[in-house]
mmCIF file of all heavy atoms in Angstrom:
data_model
loop_
_atom_site.group_PDB
_atom_site.id
_atom_site.type_symbol
_atom_site.label_atom_id
_atom_site.label_comp_id
_atom_site.label_asym_id
_atom_site.label_seq_id
_atom_site.Cartn_x
_atom_site.Cartn_y
_atom_site.Cartn_z
ATOM 1 N N PHE Q 21 74.398 82.936 46.464
ATOM 2 C CA PHE Q 21 74.983 82.432 47.673
ATOM 3 C C PHE Q 21 74.627 83.442 48.862
ATOM 4 O O PHE Q 21 74.335 84.551 48.648
ATOM 5 C CB PHE Q 21 76.430 82.129 47.557
ATOM 6 C CG PHE Q 21 77.277 83.366 47.540
ATOM 7 C CD1 PHE Q 21 77.769 83.894 48.650
ATOM 8 C CD2 PHE Q 21 77.583 83.974 46.278
ATOM 9 C CE1 PHE Q 21 78.557 85.139 48.546
ATOM 10 C CE2 PHE Q 21 78.297 85.101 46.225
ATOM 11 C CZ PHE Q 21 78.903 85.671 47.392
ATOM 12 N N LYS Q 22 74.867 82.832 50.050
ATOM 13 C CA LYS Q 22 74.774 83.592 51.258
ATOM 14 C C LYS Q 22 76.009 83.327 52.168
ATOM 15 O O LYS Q 22 76.288 82.048 52.380
ATOM 16 C CB LYS Q 22 73.433 83.295 51.991
ATOM 17 C CG LYS Q 22 73.294 84.101 53.287
ATOM 18 C CD LYS Q 22 71.973 83.803 54.001
ATOM 19 C CE LYS Q 22 71.808 84.590 55.307
ATOM 20 N NZ LYS Q 22 70.504 84.175 55.945
ATOM 21 N N MET Q 23 76.648 84.300 52.602
ATOM 22 C CA MET Q 23 77.968 84.096 53.368
ATOM 23 C C MET Q 23 77.935 84.961 54.548
ATOM 24 O O MET Q 23 78.030 86.174 54.520
ATOM 25 C CB MET Q 23 79.079 84.470 52.319
ATOM 26 C CG MET Q 23 80.510 84.330 52.842
ATOM 27 S SD MET Q 23 81.553 84.870 51.502
ATOM 28 C CE MET Q 23 83.148 84.662 52.294
ATOM 29 N N THR Q 24 78.003 84.330 55.704
ATOM 30 C CA THR Q 24 78.026 85.032 56.957
ATOM 31 C C THR Q 24 79.604 85.339 57.411
ATOM 32 O O THR Q 24 80.424 84.559 56.970
ATOM 33 C CB THR Q 24 77.330 84.316 58.144
ATOM 34 O OG1 THR Q 24 78.148 83.050 58.341
ATOM 35 C CG2 THR Q 24 75.974 83.951 57.751
ATOM 36 N N ILE Q 25 79.727 86.356 58.189
ATOM 37 C CA ILE Q 25 81.074 86.691 58.611
ATOM 38 C C ILE Q 25 80.955 86.588 60.172
ATOM 39 O O ILE Q 25 80.485 87.583 60.748
ATOM 40 C CB ILE Q 25 81.449 88.065 58.168
ATOM 41 C CG1 ILE Q 25 81.501 88.064 56.588
ATOM 42 C CG2 ILE Q 25 82.955 88.529 58.750
ATOM 43 C CD1 ILE Q 25 81.188 89.509 56.013
ATOM 44 N N ASP Q 26 81.527 85.483 60.671
ATOM 45 C CA ASP Q 26 81.228 85.189 62.147
ATOM 46 C C ASP Q 26 82.330 85.685 63.053
ATOM 47 O O ASP Q 26 82.023 86.165 64.124
ATOM 48 C CB ASP Q 26 81.039 83.799 62.340
ATOM 49 C CG ASP Q 26 79.740 83.246 61.662
ATOM 50 O OD1 ASP Q 26 78.872 84.067 61.257
ATOM 51 O OD2 ASP Q 26 79.688 81.990 61.446
ATOM 52 N N SER Q 27 83.655 85.645 62.641
ATOM 53 C CA SER Q 27 84.649 86.048 63.510
ATOM 54 C C SER Q 27 86.032 86.094 62.753
ATOM 55 O O SER Q 27 86.079 85.542 61.601
ATOM 56 C CB SER Q 27 84.901 85.140 64.681
ATOM 57 O OG SER Q 27 85.347 83.857 64.240
ATOM 58 N N ILE Q 28 86.885 86.950 63.266
ATOM 59 C CA ILE Q 28 88.272 87.027 62.728
ATOM 60 C C ILE Q 28 89.240 86.737 63.917
ATOM 61 O O ILE Q 28 89.204 87.481 64.890
ATOM 62 C CB ILE Q 28 88.505 88.411 62.072
ATOM 63 C CG1 ILE Q 28 87.629 88.533 60.809
ATOM 64 C CG2 ILE Q 28 90.094 88.499 61.647
ATOM 65 C CD1 ILE Q 28 87.830 89.908 60.153
ATOM 66 N N GLU Q 29 90.033 85.741 63.804
ATOM 67 C CA GLU Q 29 90.879 85.363 64.924
ATOM 68 C C GLU Q 29 92.378 85.005 64.471
ATOM 69 O O GLU Q 29 92.574 84.734 63.311
ATOM 70 C CB GLU Q 29 90.287 84.053 65.495
ATOM 71 C CG GLU Q 29 88.878 84.193 65.992
ATOM 72 C CD GLU Q 29 88.196 82.938 66.410
ATOM 73 O OE1 GLU Q 29 88.889 82.011 66.984
ATOM 74 O OE2 GLU Q 29 86.972 82.623 66.212
ATOM 75 N N ILE Q 30 93.299 85.157 65.554
ATOM 76 C CA ILE Q 30 94.597 84.728 65.260
ATOM 77 C C ILE Q 30 94.824 83.363 66.072
ATOM 78 O O ILE Q 30 94.565 83.309 67.237
ATOM 79 C CB ILE Q 30 95.612 85.811 65.772
ATOM 80 C CG1 ILE Q 30 95.553 87.050 64.858
ATOM 81 C CG2 ILE Q 30 97.033 85.255 65.747
ATOM 82 C CD1 ILE Q 30 96.449 88.168 65.310
ATOM 83 N N LYS Q 31 95.366 82.404 65.367
ATOM 84 C CA LYS Q 31 95.625 81.109 65.996
ATOM 85 C C LYS Q 31 96.921 80.619 65.710
ATOM 86 O O LYS Q 31 97.528 80.928 64.605
ATOM 87 C CB LYS Q 31 94.538 80.079 65.521
ATOM 88 C CG LYS Q 31 93.137 80.476 66.063
ATOM 89 C CD LYS Q 31 92.047 79.391 65.628
ATOM 90 C CE LYS Q 31 90.783 79.635 66.196
ATOM 91 N NZ LYS Q 31 90.767 79.481 67.617
ATOM 92 N N ASP Q 32 97.528 79.727 66.578
ATOM 93 C CA ASP Q 32 98.805 79.123 66.306
ATOM 94 C C ASP Q 32 98.665 77.999 65.315
ATOM 95 O O ASP Q 32 99.529 77.679 64.529
ATOM 96 C CB ASP Q 32 99.407 78.550 67.625
ATOM 97 C CG ASP Q 32 99.731 79.593 68.599
ATOM 98 O OD1 ASP Q 32 100.101 80.731 68.137
ATOM 99 O OD2 ASP Q 32 99.654 79.427 69.818
ATOM 100 N N GLU Q 33 97.428 77.316 65.358
ATOM 101 C CA GLU Q 33 97.146 76.261 64.375
ATOM 102 C C GLU Q 33 95.694 76.029 64.388
ATOM 103 O O GLU Q 33 94.963 76.530 65.249
ATOM 104 C CB GLU Q 33 97.916 74.924 64.825
ATOM 105 C CG GLU Q 33 97.575 74.487 66.163
ATOM 106 C CD GLU Q 33 98.384 73.296 66.534
ATOM 107 O OE1 GLU Q 33 99.468 72.939 66.001
ATOM 108 O OE2 GLU Q 33 97.832 72.551 67.514
ATOM 109 N N TYR Q 34 95.219 75.372 63.328
ATOM 110 C CA TYR Q 34 93.671 75.087 63.335
ATOM 111 C C TYR Q 34 93.426 73.894 62.523
ATOM 112 O O TYR Q 34 93.945 73.698 61.437
ATOM 113 C CB TYR Q 34 92.958 76.335 62.799
ATOM 114 C CG TYR Q 34 91.470 76.106 62.804
ATOM 115 C CD1 TYR Q 34 90.695 76.325 64.008
ATOM 116 C CD2 TYR Q 34 90.721 75.799 61.677
ATOM 117 C CE1 TYR Q 34 89.370 76.162 64.121
ATOM 118 C CE2 TYR Q 34 89.352 75.505 61.712
ATOM 119 C CZ TYR Q 34 88.711 75.816 62.953
ATOM 120 O OH TYR Q 34 87.298 75.654 63.007
ATOM 121 N N SER Q 35 92.615 73.037 63.162
ATOM 122 C CA SER Q 35 92.145 71.802 62.425
ATOM 123 C C SER Q 35 90.605 71.789 62.437
ATOM 124 O O SER Q 35 90.026 72.227 63.361
ATOM 125 C CB SER Q 35 92.695 70.511 63.090
ATOM 126 O OG SER Q 35 94.082 70.525 63.026
ATOM 127 N N TYR Q 36 89.963 71.105 61.483
ATOM 128 C CA TYR Q 36 88.612 70.933 61.432
ATOM 129 C C TYR Q 36 88.255 69.505 60.982
ATOM 130 O O TYR Q 36 88.949 68.893 60.113
ATOM 131 C CB TYR Q 36 87.823 71.950 60.570
ATOM 132 C CG TYR Q 36 88.367 72.082 59.161
ATOM 133 C CD1 TYR Q 36 87.681 71.238 58.150
ATOM 134 C CD2 TYR Q 36 89.404 72.957 58.760
ATOM 135 C CE1 TYR Q 36 88.082 71.342 56.868
ATOM 136 C CE2 TYR Q 36 89.766 72.944 57.453
ATOM 137 C CZ TYR Q 36 89.215 72.163 56.523
ATOM 138 O OH TYR Q 36 89.534 72.227 55.197
ATOM 139 N N ARG Q 37 87.050 69.061 61.392
ATOM 140 C CA ARG Q 37 86.727 67.734 61.008
ATOM 141 C C ARG Q 37 86.027 67.667 59.618
ATOM 142 O O ARG Q 37 85.219 68.550 59.361
ATOM 143 C CB ARG Q 37 85.743 67.144 62.065
ATOM 144 C CG ARG Q 37 85.281 65.694 61.889
ATOM 145 C CD ARG Q 37 84.560 65.193 63.138
ATOM 146 N NE ARG Q 37 85.342 65.053 64.251
ATOM 147 C CZ ARG Q 37 86.276 64.209 64.577
ATOM 148 N NH1 ARG Q 37 86.380 63.149 63.658
ATOM 149 N NH2 ARG Q 37 86.991 64.097 65.615
ATOM 150 N N THR Q 38 86.457 66.774 58.764
ATOM 151 C CA THR Q 38 85.956 66.591 57.479
ATOM 152 C C THR Q 38 84.928 65.386 57.394
ATOM 153 O O THR Q 38 84.134 65.357 56.412
ATOM 154 C CB THR Q 38 87.067 66.464 56.385
ATOM 155 O OG1 THR Q 38 87.839 65.389 56.838
ATOM 156 C CG2 THR Q 38 87.851 67.649 56.369
ATOM 157 N N SER Q 39 85.039 64.490 58.380
ATOM 158 C CA SER Q 39 84.064 63.365 58.353
ATOM 159 C C SER Q 39 84.193 62.797 59.818
ATOM 160 O O SER Q 39 84.873 63.311 60.674
ATOM 161 C CB SER Q 39 84.495 62.379 57.352
ATOM 162 O OG SER Q 39 85.691 61.685 57.780
ATOM 163 N N ASP Q 40 83.393 61.736 60.024
ATOM 164 C CA ASP Q 40 83.512 61.143 61.389
ATOM 165 C C ASP Q 40 84.902 60.550 61.666
ATOM 166 O O ASP Q 40 85.240 60.301 62.818
ATOM 167 C CB ASP Q 40 82.548 60.104 61.372
ATOM 168 C CG ASP Q 40 81.043 60.501 61.480
ATOM 169 O OD1 ASP Q 40 80.909 61.772 61.751
ATOM 170 O OD2 ASP Q 40 80.130 59.770 60.995
ATOM 171 N N ILE Q 41 85.733 60.301 60.649
ATOM 172 C CA ILE Q 41 86.958 59.589 60.953
ATOM 173 C C ILE Q 41 88.140 60.433 60.464
ATOM 174 O O ILE Q 41 89.314 59.908 60.604
ATOM 175 C CB ILE Q 41 86.976 58.221 60.309
ATOM 176 C CG1 ILE Q 41 86.758 58.369 58.763
ATOM 177 C CG2 ILE Q 41 85.978 57.271 60.871
ATOM 178 C CD1 ILE Q 41 86.934 56.995 57.936
ATOM 179 N N SER Q 42 87.928 61.641 59.960
ATOM 180 C CA SER Q 42 89.181 62.444 59.459
ATOM 181 C C SER Q 42 89.002 63.868 59.742
ATOM 182 O O SER Q 42 87.978 64.354 59.987
ATOM 183 C CB SER Q 42 89.274 62.195 57.852
ATOM 184 O OG SER Q 42 88.118 62.752 57.186
ATOM 185 N N THR Q 43 90.166 64.450 59.796
ATOM 186 C CA THR Q 43 90.264 65.951 60.037
ATOM 187 C C THR Q 43 91.298 66.529 59.077
ATOM 188 O O THR Q 43 91.964 65.824 58.427
ATOM 189 C CB THR Q 43 90.803 66.283 61.451
ATOM 190 O OG1 THR Q 43 92.085 65.679 61.668
ATOM 191 C CG2 THR Q 43 89.803 65.744 62.448
ATOM 192 N N SER Q 44 91.272 67.869 58.834
ATOM 193 C CA SER Q 44 92.135 68.518 58.044
ATOM 194 C C SER Q 44 92.747 69.782 58.810
ATOM 195 O O SER Q 44 92.089 70.426 59.596
ATOM 196 C CB SER Q 44 91.432 69.066 56.772
ATOM 197 O OG SER Q 44 92.316 69.706 55.931
ATOM 198 N N SER Q 45 94.016 70.020 58.643
ATOM 199 C CA SER Q 45 94.669 71.148 59.264
ATOM 200 C C SER Q 45 95.126 72.190 58.317
ATOM 201 O O SER Q 45 95.543 71.830 57.229
ATOM 202 C CB SER Q 45 95.928 70.551 59.970
ATOM 203 O OG SER Q 45 95.576 69.593 61.005
ATOM 204 N N LEU Q 46 94.937 73.417 58.682
ATOM 205 C CA LEU Q 46 95.383 74.534 57.849
ATOM 206 C C LEU Q 46 96.903 74.620 57.939
ATOM 207 O O LEU Q 46 97.539 74.404 58.975
ATOM 208 C CB LEU Q 46 94.831 75.848 58.427
ATOM 209 C CG LEU Q 46 93.259 75.991 58.447
ATOM 210 C CD1 LEU Q 46 92.867 77.359 58.849
ATOM 211 C CD2 LEU Q 46 92.632 75.598 57.122
ATOM 212 N N TYR Q 47 97.460 74.967 56.777
ATOM 213 C CA TYR Q 47 98.980 75.027 56.677
ATOM 214 C C TYR Q 47 99.417 76.244 57.311
ATOM 215 O O TYR Q 47 98.908 77.411 57.130
ATOM 216 C CB TYR Q 47 99.319 74.995 55.214
ATOM 217 C CG TYR Q 47 100.774 75.322 55.031
ATOM 218 C CD1 TYR Q 47 101.773 74.423 55.267
ATOM 219 C CD2 TYR Q 47 101.249 76.610 54.566
ATOM 220 C CE1 TYR Q 47 103.202 74.693 55.166
ATOM 221 C CE2 TYR Q 47 102.576 76.909 54.422
ATOM 222 C CZ TYR Q 47 103.488 75.996 54.611
ATOM 223 O OH TYR Q 47 104.822 76.287 54.517
ATOM 224 N N VAL Q 48 100.480 76.160 58.205
ATOM 225 C CA VAL Q 48 101.155 77.359 58.870
ATOM 226 C C VAL Q 48 102.578 77.098 58.781
ATOM 227 O O VAL Q 48 103.149 76.110 59.159
ATOM 228 C CB VAL Q 48 100.622 77.473 60.356
ATOM 229 C CG1 VAL Q 48 100.795 76.246 61.073
ATOM 230 C CG2 VAL Q 48 101.228 78.777 60.897
ATOM 231 N N GLU Q 49 103.369 78.209 58.346
ATOM 232 C CA GLU Q 49 104.778 78.089 58.319
ATOM 233 C C GLU Q 49 105.468 78.292 59.577
ATOM 234 O O GLU Q 49 104.769 78.834 60.549
ATOM 235 C CB GLU Q 49 105.286 79.247 57.403
ATOM 236 C CG GLU Q 49 104.912 79.162 55.895
ATOM 237 C CD GLU Q 49 105.532 80.252 55.135
ATOM 238 O OE1 GLU Q 49 106.718 80.381 55.112
ATOM 239 O OE2 GLU Q 49 104.738 81.047 54.393
ATOM 240 N N ASP Q 50 106.631 77.773 59.799
ATOM 241 C CA ASP Q 50 107.421 77.989 61.032
ATOM 242 C C ASP Q 50 107.612 79.455 61.277
ATOM 243 O O ASP Q 50 108.052 80.179 60.219
ATOM 244 C CB ASP Q 50 108.786 77.244 60.963
ATOM 245 C CG ASP Q 50 108.618 75.774 61.037
ATOM 246 O OD1 ASP Q 50 107.534 75.340 61.498
ATOM 247 O OD2 ASP Q 50 109.544 75.029 60.487
ATOM 248 N N GLY Q 51 107.447 79.965 62.406
ATOM 249 C CA GLY Q 51 107.599 81.407 62.724
ATOM 250 C C GLY Q 51 106.394 82.256 62.272
ATOM 251 O O GLY Q 51 106.527 83.507 62.367
ATOM 252 N N TYR Q 52 105.410 81.635 61.884
ATOM 253 C CA TYR Q 52 104.138 82.356 61.569
ATOM 254 C C TYR Q 52 102.890 81.915 62.354
ATOM 255 O O TYR Q 52 102.968 80.877 63.011
ATOM 256 C CB TYR Q 52 103.847 82.062 59.979
ATOM 257 C CG TYR Q 52 104.739 82.802 59.025
ATOM 258 C CD1 TYR Q 52 105.993 82.517 58.873
ATOM 259 C CD2 TYR Q 52 104.253 83.921 58.292
ATOM 260 C CE1 TYR Q 52 106.852 83.139 58.007
ATOM 261 C CE2 TYR Q 52 105.075 84.581 57.443
ATOM 262 C CZ TYR Q 52 106.357 84.231 57.296
ATOM 263 O OH TYR Q 52 107.190 84.906 56.408
ATOM 264 N N LYS Q 53 101.925 82.738 62.237
ATOM 265 C CA LYS Q 53 100.657 82.350 62.864
ATOM 266 C C LYS Q 53 99.540 82.454 61.825
ATOM 267 O O LYS Q 53 99.768 83.047 60.728
ATOM 268 C CB LYS Q 53 100.306 83.320 64.110
ATOM 269 C CG LYS Q 53 101.250 82.931 65.238
ATOM 270 C CD LYS Q 53 100.785 83.745 66.549
ATOM 271 C CE LYS Q 53 101.610 83.305 67.685
ATOM 272 N NZ LYS Q 53 101.135 83.931 68.930
ATOM 273 N N LEU Q 54 98.355 81.953 62.175
ATOM 274 C CA LEU Q 54 97.155 82.015 61.252
ATOM 275 C C LEU Q 54 96.266 83.190 61.664
ATOM 276 O O LEU Q 54 95.954 83.277 62.771
ATOM 277 C CB LEU Q 54 96.460 80.750 61.291
ATOM 278 C CG LEU Q 54 97.157 79.444 60.754
ATOM 279 C CD1 LEU Q 54 96.386 78.232 61.207
ATOM 280 C CD2 LEU Q 54 97.398 79.479 59.266
ATOM 281 N N LEU Q 55 95.973 83.996 60.611
ATOM 282 C CA LEU Q 55 94.991 84.977 60.686
ATOM 283 C C LEU Q 55 93.690 84.443 59.855
ATOM 284 O O LEU Q 55 93.840 84.266 58.713
ATOM 285 C CB LEU Q 55 95.377 86.333 60.276
ATOM 286 C CG LEU Q 55 94.276 87.441 60.157
ATOM 287 C CD1 LEU Q 55 93.859 87.808 61.693
ATOM 288 C CD2 LEU Q 55 94.836 88.683 59.538
ATOM 289 N N ILE Q 56 92.581 84.213 60.571
ATOM 290 C CA ILE Q 56 91.525 83.397 60.071
ATOM 291 C C ILE Q 56 90.240 84.155 60.137
ATOM 292 O O ILE Q 56 89.815 84.658 61.202
ATOM 293 C CB ILE Q 56 91.350 81.977 60.597
ATOM 294 C CG1 ILE Q 56 92.705 81.310 60.796
ATOM 295 C CG2 ILE Q 56 90.494 81.225 59.766
ATOM 296 C CD1 ILE Q 56 92.655 80.049 61.634
ATOM 297 N N MET Q 57 89.473 84.201 59.028
ATOM 298 C CA MET Q 57 88.050 84.707 59.122
ATOM 299 C C MET Q 57 87.143 83.482 58.983
ATOM 300 O O MET Q 57 87.238 82.649 58.034
ATOM 301 C CB MET Q 57 87.795 85.705 57.990
ATOM 302 C CG MET Q 57 86.364 86.302 58.042
ATOM 303 S SD MET Q 57 86.108 87.622 56.807
ATOM 304 C CE MET Q 57 85.790 86.645 55.401
ATOM 305 N N PHE Q 58 86.221 83.310 59.912
ATOM 306 C CA PHE Q 58 85.373 82.188 59.967
ATOM 307 C C PHE Q 58 83.943 82.595 59.544
ATOM 308 O O PHE Q 58 83.527 83.753 59.853
ATOM 309 C CB PHE Q 58 85.305 81.481 61.352
ATOM 310 C CG PHE Q 58 86.627 80.899 61.830
ATOM 311 C CD1 PHE Q 58 87.475 81.563 62.578
ATOM 312 C CD2 PHE Q 58 86.880 79.632 61.361
ATOM 313 C CE1 PHE Q 58 88.622 80.968 62.992
ATOM 314 C CE2 PHE Q 58 88.047 78.947 61.794
ATOM 315 C CZ PHE Q 58 88.981 79.597 62.550
ATOM 316 N N GLY Q 59 83.137 81.689 58.956
ATOM 317 C CA GLY Q 59 81.794 82.023 58.650
ATOM 318 C C GLY Q 59 80.933 80.798 58.185
ATOM 319 O O GLY Q 59 81.583 79.647 58.163
ATOM 320 N N HIS Q 60 79.790 81.044 57.616
ATOM 321 C CA HIS Q 60 78.985 79.931 57.085
ATOM 322 C C HIS Q 60 78.647 80.286 55.622
ATOM 323 O O HIS Q 60 78.309 81.481 55.379
ATOM 324 C CB HIS Q 60 77.796 79.687 57.907
ATOM 325 C CG HIS Q 60 77.042 78.432 57.639
ATOM 326 N ND1 HIS Q 60 77.575 77.215 58.046
ATOM 327 C CD2 HIS Q 60 75.892 78.197 57.056
ATOM 328 C CE1 HIS Q 60 76.664 76.239 57.721
ATOM 329 N NE2 HIS Q 60 75.748 76.821 56.968
#
């Protein structure tokens, strides 16, 4: 495999598209934020 490391970010919430008609959201607890590493 090949895995790029594009960014590390803090977000209140995050959703991404899984198809033309659907999206998925990352789970975040109340009183928390998301620390996310993005890549390909």
Side-chain angles (χ1 to χ4, degrees):
F21 72 92
K22 180 179 180 181
M23 179 177 178
T24 66
I25 302 156
D26 297 343
S27 66
I28 295 176
E29 305 173 31
I30 293 178
K31 293 184 175 291
D32 294 329
E33 58 185 20
Y34 184 75
S35 299
Y36 57 89
R37 185 170 294 281
T38 56
S39 72
D40 292 338
I41 59 173
S42 64
T43 60
S44 180
S45 299
L46 302 185
Y47 170 74
V48 57
E49 294 183 53
D50 290 337
Y52 283 72
K53 291 190 176 185
L54 295 167
L55 176 62
I56 314 172
M57 183 172 80
F58 294 99
H60 194 74

